[in-house]
Amino acid sequence: MDPKIKRFFDSVGSFFSGGDQIPWCDPDIILGCEREVIEAAKGDSEEFKSESIMRLSWALVHSKRPEDVQRGIAMVEASLANVGSPLQQREKVYLLAVGYYRSGEYSRSRQLVEQCLEVAPDWRQALVLKKTIEDRIAKDGVIGIGITATAVGLLAGGIAAALSRKK
């Protein structure tokens, strides 16, 4: 099959399936990360504690459970205050963008991913997330227009039927 046609069918399929390229995280992985954070808290290495909290935050914002995503967003926001390097800042802002995307706050997510792209304009993950957000916003807009058109059609049909009965 021609690559252009394949891309077209793939994009149509992903439009209707609602698929995106952002990975999901299983509850087992989250549980393992939580155990790691508990173990890290017992140790002396601040770097290991920070890394384990970052892994748990990543797992939470990539979860399918909304309460995990909200917990991940809260953890990342709390950790933004003590960011050491611009790279860490970028990673945490990206995680926040993923979290807000997963929670349906697309405009906030887009704003954060734009912030990432200001620092690293060619960062592939951020570019993929930006496209995913824009596709989702466009899809929601098309669905909203369809719902509105259906409602208007039903209303107009109801008025027409009522008027035809009065005659």
Side-chain angles (χ1 to χ4, degrees), residues 113-134:
V113 83
E114 288 290 344
Q115 202 174 325
C116 291
L117 290 169
E118 285 175 13
V119 175
D122 58 342
W123 187 20
R124 191 173 114 9
Q125 279 182 291
L127 290 168
V128 168
L129 179 57
K130 180 181 178 184
K131 176 154 180 22
T132 302
I133 294 164
E134 290 170 352

Side-chain angles (χ1 to χ4, degrees), residues 26-36 56 59:
D26 293 328
D28 294 341
I29 294 172
I30 293 170
L31 190 59
C33 290
E34 287 172 335
R35 288 187 192 125
E36 184 182 77
L56 176 57

Side-chain angles (χ1 to χ4, degrees), residues 40-110:
K42 295 176 185 175
D44 293 333
S45 171
E46 286 301 316
E47 184 177 342
F48 182 60
K49 289 177 193 175
S50 177
E51 287 174 4
S52 61
I53 289 171
M54 187 68 171
R55 280 190 289 277
L56 176 57
S57 300
W58 185 96
L60 289 169
V61 299
H62 287 84
S63 174
K64 290 185 178 184
R65 296 176 54 209
E67 58 273 13
D68 287 343
V69 174
Q70 291 304 315
R71 205 171 107 208
I73 289 171
M75 284 179 70
V76 175
E77 286 177 340
S79 71
L80 272 173
N82 31 334
V83 172
S85 72
L87 180 62
Q88 285 179 331
Q89 172 86 18
R90 179 189 81 168
E91 293 288 328
K92 290 182 180 191
V93 170
Y94 174 79
L95 281 182
L96 271 180
V98 170
Y100 282 115
Y101 172 78
R102 289 284 190 225
S103 65
E105 295 183 47
Y106 305 125
S107 61
R108 178 72 176 129
S109 180
R110 182 170 35 184

